[in-house]
Amino acid sequence: MTAYAEGARTGRGSQGFRPYLRLLTATQFAFNTGFYAVLPYLAAHLGDGLGMAGWLVGLVLGLRTFSQQGLFVVGGALTDRYGPRPVVLAGCVLRIAGFCWLAQAGSTATVIGAVLLIGFAAALFSPAVESETARAAVAYEKATGKPRTRVLAVFSAAGQAGAFVGPLLGSLLLLLGGGFRAACLAGAAVFVGVLAGHARLMPRGPRRTRVPGEGAGSSRQVFANRPFLVLCLVYSTYLVSYNQLYLALPAEVERATGSQEALGFLFALSSLLVVGAQLPLTRWSARRVTPRAALVAGLAVVAAGFAVVPVLPGGPAGLLPGAAFVVLLTLGQMLLVPAARGLVPDLVDDRRLGLATGAMSSLSGVAVLGGSAAAGTLLGAPGPVLWTVLAAVPLAGAVIALTLPAGGGVREPGATVVHQL
């Protein structure tokens, strides 16, 4: 049991929980700030700075994604076994080492080694923080009567704020003449701060005693859990759709404007929407719908975002379809992500929450890999065909989500569910 959950069990007031929630939220903000200070400029550094061929740049970026998303399940399993504190601290140390290594790397082998280390660091760090946040959200709900999605919404908004601030930090360093090396070292410095904060503030949980056969049993309890696997499938349809921000949207912007210069504006629009609207939207949905209904509604809104692209006029600068897509995709994301994360603790044993959190990310990453390849083959198709097929993916996810438990836990006093699916 975590320190936070222990506080809920013994009945301490919610004031005692808030510092730990602030730590987790600040962690997500700092993580994305450090990460996105480097990532947007990595491809240009590899191609222009190191002279790598395009296919090799793609390979390096793919290896980074695989070492992160594909190994989330490993980080989750280690979190269940050893608790979040040592896994988070190890992830911070590896991320610092990876960024420092990448700042100095000048050959293909050293660059690949650095990006693999950076990706594996996130595979340790993220499942530990996300599963601990889910536990904290459930404990907060039990202690205060307020919905767990509030905590998860703050967590999501903090991540988006970091994703917005990080590229600005990287751009500033590049403009000041520091170059890519300075961006890497700035990212490492952010994680030095995260490491120091967690070493000082993150509670030491009791180490679990391993029993014979526990590892295999843990895996079976997660991967043979039909409702959880359904949730993974549903979440995969969202991630495949969200990935179109990096595949279909650039193609649409280039088609409409002749270049991809407006992409930065559209990405900033998405981040600012999450930062400004995530909490009010989650508060509204928590009062009126179950988590399952929020998940279904969010996927339906994402589907609408794809569907409007071929039917809207170009508008100012030809960006109206792309902007509408970004707004609807982001609104759907804000509805469904806290709901999906909030359902995980209802579907799996608390002792397997780290493994389940990591498994959902890893399984979804595999789906994104296949889905992106399929979507890539459609980019040359007529617009109505492309966007209709893409809209069918989240729509199918919404239909599948109807088979999930409604979820909900403790609701706000006086809250009424007016739309139960």
Side-chain angles (χ1 to χ4, degrees):
M1 180 179 294
T2 67
Y4 190 100
E6 176 66 18
R9 187 185 68 80
T10 55
R12 292 203 303 265
S14 62
Q15 291 292 337
F17 304 150
R18 289 175 183 167
Y20 191 47
L21 286 174
R22 285 198 295 269
L23 174 65
L24 293 170
T25 303
T27 294
Q28 183 68 357
F29 171 77
F31 178 89
N32 277 1
T33 298
F35 181 69
Y36 285 101
V38 177
L39 183 65
Y41 313 104
L42 178 57
H45 171 69
L46 297 179
D48 299 334
L50 300 182
M52 288 187 178
W55 69 268
L56 188 54
V57 172
L59 175 63
V60 171
L61 296 178
L63 286 172
R64 188 210 62 80
T65 301
F66 172 77
S67 65
Q68 176 176 323
Q69 199 82 13
L71 296 179
F72 262 42
V73 66
V74 175
L78 291 173
T79 300
D80 288 342
R81 176 67 181 92
Y82 297 105
R85 178 185 165 89
V87 179
V88 167
L89 296 182
C92 288
V93 170
L94 293 181
R95 179 54 68 92
I96 294 166
F99 277 154
C100 290
W101 188 5
L102 185 60
Q104 305 297 327
S107 68
T108 299
T110 55
V111 166
I112 288 176
V115 299
L116 287 175
L117 189 60
I118 289 169
F120 182 61
L124 293 178
F125 185 96
S126 291
V129 172
E130 289 174 11
S131 60
E132 191 68 356
T133 301
R135 287 191 179 97
V138 172
Y140 174 84
E141 182 179 71
K142 291 178 179 177
T144 66
K146 297 177 181 178
R148 70 188 68 170
T149 49
R150 282 193 174 190
V151 173
L152 299 169
V154 172
F155 188 78
S156 292
Q160 284 295 328
F164 180 72
V165 171
L168 297 180
L169 173 61
S171 295
L172 178 62
L173 291 169
L174 293 176
L175 288 173
L176 293 175
F180 183 75
R181 176 176 295 182
C184 288
L185 295 178
V190 170
F191 278 92
V192 169
V194 174
L195 175 64
H198 280 77
R200 178 178 175 83
L201 300 174
M202 198 166 198
R204 297 179 182 272
R207 181 167 172 171
R208 290 180 54 208
T209 301
R210 188 175 178 86
V211 298
E214 182 186 41
S218 298
S219 298
R220 282 195 298 270
Q221 289 181 26
V222 171
F223 293 108
N225 183 330
R226 182 184 176 279
F228 171 71
L229 293 178
V230 170
L231 178 62
C232 290
L233 178 59
V234 171
Y235 196 72
S236 295
T237 65
Y238 153 68
L239 279 184
V240 169
S241 300
Y242 184 81
N243 199 58
Q244 301 314 310
L245 279 174
Y246 310 105
L247 187 62
L249 179 63
E252 165 61 22
V253 170
E254 185 159 357
R255 181 201 64 78
T257 67
S259 75
Q260 296 187 6
E261 292 179 358
L263 276 177
F265 162 75
L266 295 176
F267 288 154
L269 173 63
S270 176
S271 294
L272 290 174
L273 274 174
V274 176
V275 172
Q278 178 72 77
L279 295 182
L281 183 60
T282 300
R283 192 177 297 117
W284 174 85
S285 67
R287 291 193 183 105
R288 289 168 173 78
V289 298
T290 64
R292 182 183 64 189
L295 187 57
V296 172
L299 286 164
V301 172
V302 171
F306 288 108
V308 300
V309 172
V311 299
L312 282 179
L319 288 177
L320 182 58
F325 166 68
V326 168
V327 169
L328 290 172
L329 178 69
T330 305
L331 288 175
Q333 170 195 349
M334 290 189 286
L335 277 171
L336 70 91
V337 169
R341 289 177 174 167
L343 277 171
V344 175
D346 290 340
L347 301 179
V348 300
D349 189 304
D350 181 72
R351 294 171 299 172
R352 323 294 179 210
L353 191 54
L355 177 61
T357 301
M360 187 164 75
S361 292
S362 292
L363 293 173
S364 299
V366 173
V368 168
L369 185 62
S372 295
T377 64
L378 288 171
L379 290 181
V385 174
L386 168 65
W387 295 99
T388 299
V389 172
L390 293 176
V393 175
L395 197 58
V399 173
I400 297 169
L402 292 172
T403 66
L404 289 167
V410 180
R411 294 196 162 269
E412 291 184 285
T416 302
V417 177
V418 297
H419 181 51
Q420 179 125 2
L421 295 178

